[in-house]
Amino acid sequence: MSGTGTGAAPGGRPAERRGRPRSAAVDTTVVETVLRLLEEGVTVGELSMERIAREAGVGKATVYRRWADKEALLLDVLRSLDDACPELAGASVRDDLVALLEFLRRRVLAKRSSAVMRAVIAHVQTQPKLWREYHDTVVAARRQAFHAVLLRGAATGEIRPGLDAELLTDLFVSPMLSRVMLHEWRELPDGLAEQIVDTVLQGVRPQEGTAARGGPSRGSVPGPA
């Protein structure tokens, strides 16, 4: 009896997976269908995999081959609403930090103005596993971008060495997030990113006439090599 799919080829090599490859066009069609339905006023609770497949013009099995359930599909919908972090010039640590924070400010403004984004985010946040996965991919990538700039700042002497990179990232990001989570009525005006960066940098620049004591702790921004 011949096997299919997961068998081994002669010589111990994994057998090639049979069947048609996954179509990116179908993925895009399904995600855009969900966005269209939400824009038309369909609530997340009213969505079903069957309805999404029907509206997208594909078979239900096609949708289930790509996403195990509606929550997994909504996670990809949420990812589709995220833009990649901006390309940084790399000439000035201060300017790169401003660019990253300005990107965050504009994302927040987009979220506030987009009923679709708010609905999807609110639903995914009620699913701890999905929210964690979103954080571990999209959010973690943004924080890593901050870490890279901070490491460069320590190497060039623009930032005092020995500081905790995670804590330092929070110092830059938290003022913006507090206006989103705790004070939703607060405005996010032009120039806010520059104001935050300049305020924090004033406190973390190397102090003239003093040397960093001890070595950097785990997860800290090291000094120049």
Side-chain angles (χ1 to χ4, degrees), residues 100-101 104 139 142-143 146 166-180 196 200:
L100 289 172
L101 269 187
L104 177 59
V139 177
R142 293 176 188 164
R143 292 184 67 86
F146 272 96
E166 286 288 337
L167 176 60
L168 197 51
T169 298
D170 287 340
L171 290 176
F172 284 105
V173 174
S174 294
M176 196 83 73
L177 295 183
S178 70
R179 297 192 179 204
V180 180
I196 293 171
V200 177

mmCIF file of all heavy atoms in Angstrom, residues 100-101 104 139 142-143 146 166-180 196 200:
data_model
loop_
_atom_site.group_PDB
_atom_site.id
_atom_site.type_symbol
_atom_site.label_atom_id
_atom_site.label_comp_id
_atom_site.label_asym_id
_atom_site.label_seq_id
_atom_site.Cartn_x
_atom_site.Cartn_y
_atom_site.Cartn_z
ATOM 1 N N LEU A 100 10.611 56.078 15.053
ATOM 2 C CA LEU A 100 9.894 54.924 15.595
ATOM 3 C C LEU A 100 8.688 55.358 16.425
ATOM 4 O O LEU A 100 7.611 54.764 16.338
ATOM 5 C CB LEU A 100 10.842 54.070 16.442
ATOM 6 C CG LEU A 100 11.919 53.296 15.673
ATOM 7 C CD1 LEU A 100 12.898 52.651 16.646
ATOM 8 C CD2 LEU A 100 11.267 52.234 14.781
ATOM 9 N N LEU A 101 8.861 56.412 17.226
ATOM 10 C CA LEU A 101 7.744 56.891 18.035
ATOM 11 C C LEU A 101 6.674 57.569 17.181
ATOM 12 O O LEU A 101 5.485 57.461 17.469
ATOM 13 C CB LEU A 101 8.241 57.860 19.108
ATOM 14 C CG LEU A 101 8.623 57.268 20.456
ATOM 15 C CD1 LEU A 101 8.918 58.379 21.458
ATOM 16 C CD2 LEU A 101 7.529 56.361 21.006
ATOM 17 N N LEU A 104 4.547 54.945 15.816
ATOM 18 C CA LEU A 104 3.591 54.487 16.825
ATOM 19 C C LEU A 104 2.451 55.487 16.976
ATOM 20 O O LEU A 104 1.284 55.099 17.090
ATOM 21 C CB LEU A 104 4.299 54.285 18.160
ATOM 22 C CG LEU A 104 3.434 53.880 19.357
ATOM 23 C CD1 LEU A 104 2.712 52.567 19.079
ATOM 24 C CD2 LEU A 104 4.283 53.775 20.619
ATOM 25 N N VAL A 139 4.357 43.023 17.934
ATOM 26 C CA VAL A 139 4.826 43.949 18.967
ATOM 27 C C VAL A 139 6.308 43.721 19.260
ATOM 28 O O VAL A 139 7.082 44.671 19.416
ATOM 29 C CB VAL A 139 3.987 43.801 20.248
ATOM 30 C CG1 VAL A 139 4.528 44.715 21.348
ATOM 31 C CG2 VAL A 139 2.527 44.126 19.963
ATOM 32 N N ARG A 142 8.596 45.405 16.820
ATOM 33 C CA ARG A 142 8.723 46.849 17.034
ATOM 34 C C ARG A 142 9.692 47.146 18.172
ATOM 35 O O ARG A 142 10.523 48.066 18.078
ATOM 36 C CB ARG A 142 7.350 47.445 17.352
ATOM 37 C CG ARG A 142 6.368 47.394 16.194
ATOM 38 C CD ARG A 142 5.029 47.907 16.638
ATOM 39 N NE ARG A 142 4.018 47.703 15.612
ATOM 40 C CZ ARG A 142 2.717 47.776 15.834
ATOM 41 N NH1 ARG A 142 2.283 48.074 17.053
ATOM 42 N NH2 ARG A 142 1.853 47.588 14.865
ATOM 43 N N ARG A 143 9.601 46.379 19.241
ATOM 44 C CA ARG A 143 10.499 46.607 20.370
ATOM 45 C C ARG A 143 11.945 46.286 19.971
ATOM 46 O O ARG A 143 12.873 46.951 20.427
ATOM 47 C CB ARG A 143 10.065 45.776 21.577
ATOM 48 C CG ARG A 143 8.749 46.239 22.173
ATOM 49 C CD ARG A 143 8.409 45.453 23.441
ATOM 50 N NE ARG A 143 9.342 45.751 24.524
ATOM 51 C CZ ARG A 143 9.202 46.770 25.368
ATOM 52 N NH1 ARG A 143 8.189 47.612 25.244
ATOM 53 N NH2 ARG A 143 10.083 46.963 26.346
ATOM 54 N N PHE A 146 13.551 49.225 18.483
ATOM 55 C CA PHE A 146 14.030 50.161 19.495
ATOM 56 C C PHE A 146 15.350 49.685 20.087
ATOM 57 O O PHE A 146 16.288 50.465 20.260
ATOM 58 C CB PHE A 146 12.984 50.324 20.603
ATOM 59 C CG PHE A 146 11.966 51.382 20.348
ATOM 60 C CD1 PHE A 146 10.733 51.061 19.794
ATOM 61 C CD2 PHE A 146 12.208 52.711 20.654
ATOM 62 C CE1 PHE A 146 9.777 52.038 19.545
ATOM 63 C CE2 PHE A 146 11.273 53.695 20.425
ATOM 64 C CZ PHE A 146 10.045 53.361 19.859
ATOM 65 N N GLU A 166 15.227 46.852 27.958
ATOM 66 C CA GLU A 166 13.770 46.727 28.047
ATOM 67 C C GLU A 166 13.177 47.925 28.772
ATOM 68 O O GLU A 166 12.173 48.508 28.340
ATOM 69 C CB GLU A 166 13.393 45.424 28.774
ATOM 70 C CG GLU A 166 13.587 44.167 27.957
ATOM 71 C CD GLU A 166 12.564 44.026 26.850
ATOM 72 O OE1 GLU A 166 11.472 44.634 26.968
ATOM 73 O OE2 GLU A 166 12.852 43.333 25.861
ATOM 74 N N LEU A 167 13.787 48.288 29.892
ATOM 75 C CA LEU A 167 13.289 49.433 30.660
ATOM 76 C C LEU A 167 13.425 50.717 29.857
ATOM 77 O O LEU A 167 12.519 51.561 29.850
ATOM 78 C CB LEU A 167 14.065 49.556 31.967
ATOM 79 C CG LEU A 167 13.721 50.764 32.849
ATOM 80 C CD1 LEU A 167 12.252 50.739 33.252
ATOM 81 C CD2 LEU A 167 14.612 50.797 34.086
ATOM 82 N N LEU A 168 14.533 50.868 29.156
ATOM 83 C CA LEU A 168 14.752 52.067 28.378
ATOM 84 C C LEU A 168 13.724 52.178 27.248
ATOM 85 O O LEU A 168 13.210 53.268 26.972
ATOM 86 C CB LEU A 168 16.172 52.049 27.798
ATOM 87 C CG LEU A 168 16.742 53.372 27.292
ATOM 88 C CD1 LEU A 168 16.600 54.467 28.347
ATOM 89 C CD2 LEU A 168 18.203 53.197 26.911
ATOM 90 N N THR A 169 13.408 51.058 26.628
ATOM 91 C CA THR A 169 12.365 51.061 25.597
ATOM 92 C C THR A 169 11.028 51.500 26.184
ATOM 93 O O THR A 169 10.292 52.289 25.588
ATOM 94 C CB THR A 169 12.233 49.674 24.956
ATOM 95 O OG1 THR A 169 13.455 49.325 24.314
ATOM 96 C CG2 THR A 169 11.107 49.642 23.927
ATOM 97 N N ASP A 170 10.725 50.995 27.385
ATOM 98 C CA ASP A 170 9.476 51.393 28.043
ATOM 99 C C ASP A 170 9.436 52.890 28.319
ATOM 100 O O ASP A 170 8.372 53.521 28.237
ATOM 101 C CB ASP A 170 9.306 50.620 29.359
ATOM 102 C CG ASP A 170 8.939 49.163 29.142
ATOM 103 O OD1 ASP A 170 8.450 48.835 28.052
ATOM 104 O OD2 ASP A 170 9.154 48.358 30.074
ATOM 105 N N LEU A 171 10.569 53.475 28.677
ATOM 106 C CA LEU A 171 10.609 54.905 28.962
ATOM 107 C C LEU A 171 10.244 55.730 27.733
ATOM 108 O O LEU A 171 9.627 56.789 27.850
ATOM 109 C CB LEU A 171 11.995 55.307 29.470
ATOM 110 C CG LEU A 171 12.384 54.819 30.868
ATOM 111 C CD1 LEU A 171 13.824 55.218 31.185
ATOM 112 C CD2 LEU A 171 11.441 55.384 31.927
ATOM 113 N N PHE A 172 10.632 55.247 26.570
ATOM 114 C CA PHE A 172 10.287 55.959 25.340
ATOM 115 C C PHE A 172 8.842 55.703 24.918
ATOM 116 O O PHE A 172 8.148 56.621 24.466
ATOM 117 C CB PHE A 172 11.231 55.538 24.206
ATOM 118 C CG PHE A 172 12.606 56.140 24.299
ATOM 119 C CD1 PHE A 172 13.685 55.384 24.712
ATOM 120 C CD2 PHE A 172 12.809 57.473 23.978
ATOM 121 C CE1 PHE A 172 14.957 55.936 24.800
ATOM 122 C CE2 PHE A 172 14.081 58.034 24.070
ATOM 123 C CZ PHE A 172 15.164 57.264 24.487
ATOM 124 N N VAL A 173 8.392 54.467 25.052
ATOM 125 C CA VAL A 173 7.092 54.077 24.508
ATOM 126 C C VAL A 173 5.927 54.386 25.455
ATOM 127 O O VAL A 173 4.842 54.764 25.011
ATOM 128 C CB VAL A 173 7.108 52.572 24.150
ATOM 129 C CG1 VAL A 173 5.733 52.100 23.719
ATOM 130 C CG2 VAL A 173 8.128 52.296 23.060
ATOM 131 N N SER A 174 6.156 54.234 26.758
ATOM 132 C CA SER A 174 5.050 54.312 27.717
ATOM 133 C C SER A 174 4.277 55.627 27.716
ATOM 134 O O SER A 174 3.042 55.612 27.867
ATOM 135 C CB SER A 174 5.554 54.004 29.135
ATOM 136 O OG SER A 174 5.978 52.664 29.220
ATOM 137 N N PRO A 175 4.925 56.795 27.571
ATOM 138 C CA PRO A 175 4.130 58.023 27.547
ATOM 139 C C PRO A 175 3.079 58.031 26.444
ATOM 140 O O PRO A 175 1.960 58.525 26.639
ATOM 141 C CB PRO A 175 5.186 59.117 27.312
ATOM 142 C CG PRO A 175 6.435 58.552 27.882
ATOM 143 C CD PRO A 175 6.377 57.088 27.560
ATOM 144 N N MET A 176 3.403 57.452 25.286
ATOM 145 C CA MET A 176 2.445 57.371 24.198
ATOM 146 C C MET A 176 1.342 56.373 24.526
ATOM 147 O O MET A 176 0.151 56.647 24.344
ATOM 148 C CB MET A 176 3.164 56.957 22.917
ATOM 149 C CG MET A 176 2.380 57.190 21.637
ATOM 150 S SD MET A 176 2.500 58.879 21.030
ATOM 151 C CE MET A 176 4.186 58.917 20.414
ATOM 152 N N LEU A 177 1.743 55.217 25.056
ATOM 153 C CA LEU A 177 0.757 54.178 25.351
ATOM 154 C C LEU A 177 -0.169 54.575 26.489
ATOM 155 O O LEU A 177 -1.337 54.171 26.517
ATOM 156 C CB LEU A 177 1.467 52.862 25.686
ATOM 157 C CG LEU A 177 2.268 52.220 24.547
ATOM 158 C CD1 LEU A 177 2.848 50.889 24.996
ATOM 159 C CD2 LEU A 177 1.396 52.015 23.320
ATOM 160 N N SER A 178 0.315 55.357 27.437
ATOM 161 C CA SER A 178 -0.544 55.754 28.552
ATOM 162 C C SER A 178 -1.700 56.615 28.069
ATOM 163 O O SER A 178 -2.802 56.566 28.616
ATOM 164 C CB SER A 178 0.267 56.507 29.612
ATOM 165 O OG SER A 178 0.651 57.788 29.145
ATOM 166 N N ARG A 179 -1.449 57.402 27.026
ATOM 167 C CA ARG A 179 -2.533 58.214 26.467
ATOM 168 C C ARG A 179 -3.543 57.360 25.716
ATOM 169 O O ARG A 179 -4.683 57.776 25.535
ATOM 170 C CB ARG A 179 -1.962 59.278 25.535
ATOM 171 C CG ARG A 179 -1.055 60.278 26.244
ATOM 172 C CD ARG A 179 -0.750 61.467 25.376
ATOM 173 N NE ARG A 179 0.089 62.426 26.085
ATOM 174 C CZ ARG A 179 0.153 63.719 25.801
ATOM 175 N NH1 ARG A 179 -0.583 64.207 24.820
ATOM 176 N NH2 ARG A 179 0.940 64.523 26.485
ATOM 177 N N VAL A 180 -3.106 56.194 25.289
ATOM 178 C CA VAL A 180 -4.004 55.289 24.569
ATOM 179 C C VAL A 180 -4.828 54.453 25.544
ATOM 180 O O VAL A 180 -6.050 54.335 25.411
ATOM 181 C CB VAL A 180 -3.197 54.365 23.639
ATOM 182 C CG1 VAL A 180 -4.121 53.424 22.880
ATOM 183 C CG2 VAL A 180 -2.351 55.184 22.681
ATOM 184 N N ILE A 196 8.971 63.551 23.608
ATOM 185 C CA ILE A 196 9.258 62.389 24.448
ATOM 186 C C ILE A 196 10.724 61.992 24.319
ATOM 187 O O ILE A 196 11.423 61.780 25.317
ATOM 188 C CB ILE A 196 8.336 61.211 24.073
ATOM 189 C CG1 ILE A 196 6.883 61.528 24.438
ATOM 190 C CG2 ILE A 196 8.790 59.931 24.789
ATOM 191 C CD1 ILE A 196 5.894 60.508 23.915
ATOM 192 N N VAL A 200 13.566 62.028 27.392
ATOM 193 C CA VAL A 200 14.204 60.809 27.898
ATOM 194 C C VAL A 200 15.705 60.837 27.631
ATOM 195 O O VAL A 200 16.505 60.480 28.501
ATOM 196 C CB VAL A 200 13.560 59.548 27.270
ATOM 197 C CG1 VAL A 200 14.285 58.285 27.744
ATOM 198 C CG2 VAL A 200 12.077 59.466 27.623
#
